Amino acid sequence: VQLQASGGGLVQAGGSLSLSCAASGSIFSISSMHWYRQAPGKQRELVASITTGGTTNYADSVKGRFAISRSNAKNTVYLQMNSLKPEDTAVYYCNGRIIAIGKLTNNDYWGQGTLVTVSS
């Protein structure tokens, strides 16, 4: 199972970026999918989560600005980021709780990370 993230880049404060993360490989099912981020010198933090049924949760710092969505048919999770601030600068990682074919339990799989830089 692999997760491939894309869509990071450089944007001015107030701008928007969209991230996507596609899961591939021997996937039996995907339960929740998540976006985390890690800023320089800081711990990795959970940004947004979405269940198979579409229930979402957000960190307080991004509520009202970010939107997580997913395509179950494409095994892909998205993160639309609006009104970006310099403090949103970080490497963003996608995470999926996935049951691989031949396995009985969920395991966490991670994408490679994509850098988002917001200039002031």
Side-chain angles (χ1 to χ4, degrees), residues 97-114:
R97 306 243 161 94
I98 298 171
I99 299 177
I101 292 172
K103 303 292 185 182
L104 298 177
T105 59
N106 278 319
N107 280 292
D108 275 339
Y109 293 87
W110 292 88
Q112 81 282 12
T114 184

Side-chain angles (χ1 to χ4, degrees), residues 61-83:
S61 59
V62 306
K63 278 181 183 176
R65 300 188 298 122
F66 289 14
I68 188 171
S69 60
R70 66 188 281 177
S71 166
N72 293 329
K74 296 181 180 180
N75 290 336
T76 300
V77 63
Y78 307 94
L79 186 68
Q80 177 64 40
M81 304 182 292
N82 300 321
S83 302

Side-chain angles (χ1 to χ4, degrees), residues 7 19 30-31 37 41 43 45 55 59 62 74 77 84 100 103 115 120:
L19 306 181
I30 302 176
S31 56
R37 68 185 180 187
Q43 301 266 21
E45 63 172 347
T55 300
V62 306
K74 296 181 180 180
V77 63
L84 282 160
K103 303 292 185 182
L115 177 63
S120 56

Side-chain angles (χ1 to χ4, degrees), residues 19-41:
L19 306 181
S20 63
C21 175
S24 63
S26 300
I27 297 169
F28 178 72
S29 67
I30 302 176
S31 56
S32 56
M33 300 189 82
H34 314 264
W35 286 99
Y36 288 77
R37 68 185 180 187
Q38 187 166 19

